[in-house]
Amino acid sequence: MKLVRTGLPGAERPGLIDAQGEVRDLSGVIADVNAAHLSPDALARLAQIDTGKLPVVEGARFGVPWTGIGKIIAIGLNYADHAAEAGMPIPAEPIVFLKANSSLNGPDDAVMLPYGSLKSDWEVELGVVIGTTARNVSREDALSHVAGYCVVNDVSEREFQVERGGTWDKGKGCDTFCPVGPWLVTRDEVPDPQALGLWLEVNGERVQKGSTATMVFDVATVVSYVSRFMTLQPGD
């Protein structure tokens, strides 16, 4: 199942993508796609809906696919090829940083470069959406806490990140620096999160091409690791 939110910023309506690729309005079923609808039971109920009876939505803007995101946790240098490209050693443990929630942005919305930006950059990422609370979970149990996956553009201002005191967060959390979507794909449709192709285009030119197979720490390891240091809540 692919969950979406469509409409003007601040007035998005819940929806899903049907088998024919059309957007269907879910607002007659749920008020919004939020953390309460990301648990296994809630997703199972949505999966039982007869999508053919839902109104079709045409030409609407896509927003962030779900709301109620408590925190955005990122893992730095987690692709072996990216670490090599950056001339950095492979991390011995996951490098954890945060992106501000005010950086959230619709997948097709304009990115606003911050005042004084000299080195704004882009990075395609696999987003992992938490569905049930995860605290000190094992690697073996980690994926059971995942609701699904999405595409994220980890926009970064490299000068702010690297050359302005060494704290990554201020180069990562600028307004609009976290486009997400267009949809959240539920876990049942992604049997192996380590076998996904990733690419990014700028002005029609393919500038990144890779695979989650080159992750230094796989999704299960990352969820387990981060859950030791902070509780992961539904919607994170």
Side-chain angles (χ1 to χ4, degrees):
M1 183 166 53
K2 297 180 177 69
L3 297 174
V4 299
R5 296 170 69 245
T6 61
L8 296 175
E12 292 93 346
R13 296 163 68 91
L16 55 77
I17 307 296
D18 69 15
Q20 288 71 47
E22 290 191 295
V23 180
R24 297 281 183 163
D25 188 349
L26 270 175
S27 59
V29 180
I30 58 175
D32 209 342
V33 180
N34 57 35
H37 298 107
L38 298 179
S39 70
D41 288 346
L43 290 175
R45 287 193 294 271
L46 290 178
Q48 296 303 311
I49 294 171
D50 181 355
T51 58
K53 295 181 178 179
L54 299 174
V56 174
V57 179
E58 296 182 353
R61 162 192 171 271
F62 286 102
V64 177
W66 74 103
T67 187
I69 299 171
K71 51 189 175 290
I72 306 166
I73 305 141
I75 308 298
L77 298 176
N78 197 37
Y79 289 84
D81 46 355
H82 177 54
E85 178 187 31
M88 303 285 284
I90 299 295
E93 292 192 36
I95 298 171
V96 180
F97 64 93
L98 299 176
K99 289 178 77 80
N101 281 21
S102 51
S103 70
L104 287 164
N105 203 17
D108 301 312
D109 292 347
V111 170
M112 179 177 65
L113 299 184
Y115 179 78
S117 172
L118 297 174
K119 298 180 180 179
S120 286
D121 199 3
W122 28 256
E123 288 183 81
V124 61
E125 301 286 355
L126 173 67
V128 180
V129 186
I130 299 300
T132 57
T133 301
R135 181 186 299 111
N136 291 317
V137 301
S138 67
R139 181 185 179 281
E140 292 70 27
D141 188 44
L143 292 186
S144 69
H145 294 272
V146 172
Y149 304 93
C150 62
V151 176
V152 177
N153 187 352
D154 176 23
V155 185
S156 310
E157 213 303 338
R158 301 300 186 190
E159 191 210 22
F160 294 4
Q161 175 188 352
V162 179
E163 302 171 32
R164 299 284 293 275
T167 53
W168 282 24
D169 295 14
K170 64 189 176 188
K172 295 283 192 173
C174 304
D175 292 353
T176 75
F177 267 28
C178 191
V180 181
W183 38 70
L184 185 164
V185 181
T186 51
R187 190 181 76 224
D188 59 296
E189 292 199 21
V190 185
D192 183 1
Q194 305 311 138
L196 301 172
L198 296 169
W199 65 89
L200 186 144
E201 295 180 349
V202 177
N203 297 329
E205 178 186 356
R206 183 69 54 92
V207 293
Q208 280 186 297
K209 183 178 180 180
S211 169
T212 57
T214 68
M215 279 185 173
V216 177
F217 304 101
D218 64 17
V219 171
T221 298
V222 166
V223 172
S224 172
Y225 182 87
V226 174
S227 78
R228 303 178 203 170
F229 300 97
M230 62 190 85
T231 299
L232 300 177
Q233 302 283 6
D236 285 354

